[in-house]
Amino acid sequence: EGGGLFIGAFAEAPGGGFEADGAHLAGFCYGFVGVRDNAVGFRDPANLRFYAQYAGVRTAYQSYGLGYELKEFQREMVLGLLGVSTIICTYDPLTGVNAHRNIHHFGMDVLEYRVATYGEYGGLLNRLDVPTDRFLMSWDLRRPARRPDYDLGKALAAPRPLAVGVRELGGKRSRLALEVVEGTYPDVPGDILMVRVPRDFYRMLQETDVAEPEVRRIPVDWRLATREVFQTLFERGFRVVDFLKAKDPGSGSFYVLARSAHRSR
């Protein structure tokens, strides 16, 4: 009722069957119908957008692909039940797991970079001292997922807009190696570039939540550095065309950005 859509995935109850209650909720996604142009409002169906506001999977059920299944079902319901063909959402550009799902798997488009979208909003996935910057995304539900059309070799050989090193340090829960920003070079030449992000930004936020200023500042440096790089590259005419996920702890996760590029279907 009211254009909202809540989808829950539930774990099987002891003895079989499913109990649609909080104790068995494994993951969920939620959103609602809105409009693109307030002057047009709801009078034109083409003006309707579905805003995907929340999505999450409990820790015990992560790494099973449940997040992908929830979004796939959300697409079916938004198209079939609500009759809306575009989903709008935001996500933290430093979170590789979301980037791989949204950009590489579903083929969503990055519309813009938004600074401190949620202000001083805390919670498990945010820290008050780390600005809540977000990518604004658009997902055309009627368009098949497009596979990237770019020269990966050229991207690998191009200069990097962001210099990254690895530092071993004592975190909040354990000793670990974390990626650290060493410099930004958003004006590097080239028509296809790769921007690295942390392998696991959520873990970085948690492990650097300590009193030592130098350690605590690591995710802040990532936020400010990638903000500068993305904003400058977008101004130079670049757009995000793919995301490459790290396959092992020693490799990096990268956004692929191209200027005047296109992606094939």
Side-chain angles (χ1 to χ4, degrees), residues 181-203:
V181 173
E182 295 184 340
T184 58
Y185 311 95
D187 295 320
V188 293
D191 292 322
I192 182 164
L193 302 171
M194 298 176 67
V195 179
R196 184 169 176 174
V197 294
R199 175 179 171 81
D200 189 341
F201 188 62
Y202 290 143
R203 187 186 183 200

Side-chain angles (χ1 to χ4, degrees), residues 14-262:
F18 292 91
E19 297 289 344
D21 57 27
H24 296 89
L25 182 66
F28 82 102
C29 58
Y30 167 77
F32 53 87
V33 177
V35 298
R36 181 180 183 181
D37 185 343
N38 288 334
V40 177
F42 288 84
R43 289 181 290 275
D44 182 357
N47 193 47
L48 301 182
R49 299 291 185 269
F50 182 85
Y51 183 73
Q53 186 174 22
Y54 295 114
V57 176
R58 281 182 166 165
T59 303
Y61 300 101
Q62 293 176 2
S63 302
Y64 290 99
L66 184 55
Y68 291 90
E69 296 296 330
L70 282 164
K71 296 300 289 185
E72 288 281 10
F73 190 67
Q74 184 181 62
R75 170 165 56 183
E76 293 179 21
M77 292 297 100
V78 171
L79 263 177
L81 178 65
L82 302 178
V84 177
S85 61
T86 302
I87 287 181
I88 299 295
C89 65
T90 61
Y91 81 94
D92 188 333
L94 289 176
T95 56
V97 62
N98 291 330
H100 187 266
R101 179 193 66 208
N102 293 342
I103 295 172
H104 183 80
H105 184 82
F106 289 121
M108 298 185 192
D109 296 309
V110 179
L111 298 181
E112 63 183 62
Y113 188 100
R114 291 186 169 181
V115 174
T117 305
Y118 299 109
E120 296 183 352
Y121 179 79
L124 182 63
L125 304 182
N126 298 291
R127 246 178 43 196
L128 294 179
D129 58 328
V130 182
T132 53
D133 292 14
R134 297 291 187 265
F135 273 164
L136 177 65
M137 310 295 293
S138 178
W139 186 11
D140 185 346
L141 304 183
R142 298 188 185 278
R143 184 186 67 198
R146 298 174 297 174
R147 296 306 169 209
D149 180 19
Y150 62 90
D151 187 334
L152 180 58
K154 186 176 181 180
L156 291 170
R160 298 284 168 81
L162 191 68
V164 178
V166 178
R167 177 182 168 190
E168 187 171 323
L169 51 86
K172 188 173 185 177
R173 298 177 180 84
S174 62
R175 190 161 188 83
L176 72 166
L178 287 180
E179 305 106 309
V180 295
V181 173
E182 295 184 340
T184 58
Y185 311 95
D187 295 320
V188 293
D191 292 322
I192 182 164
L193 302 171
M194 298 176 67
V195 179
R196 184 169 176 174
V197 294
R199 175 179 171 81
D200 189 341
F201 188 62
Y202 290 143
R203 187 186 183 200
M204 176 181 287
L205 283 177
Q206 295 166 7
E207 290 290 347
T208 59
D209 190 11
V210 296
E212 185 181 348
E214 188 176 355
V215 174
R216 187 173 185 84
R217 186 168 176 82
I218 290 175
V220 181
D221 290 339
W222 269 104
R223 175 69 76 219
L224 299 181
T226 51
R227 176 193 294 176
E228 175 192 0
V229 167
F230 282 125
Q231 287 184 325
T232 302
L233 291 181
F234 289 168
E235 289 173 358
R236 292 176 58 193
F238 284 86
R239 62 187 295 265
V240 176
V241 297
D242 199 10
F243 183 83
L244 306 178
K245 183 172 63 173
K247 294 183 179 180
D248 57 74
S251 61
S253 295
F254 294 90
Y255 284 94
V256 181
L257 291 90
R259 179 158 43 191
S260 301
H262 67 277

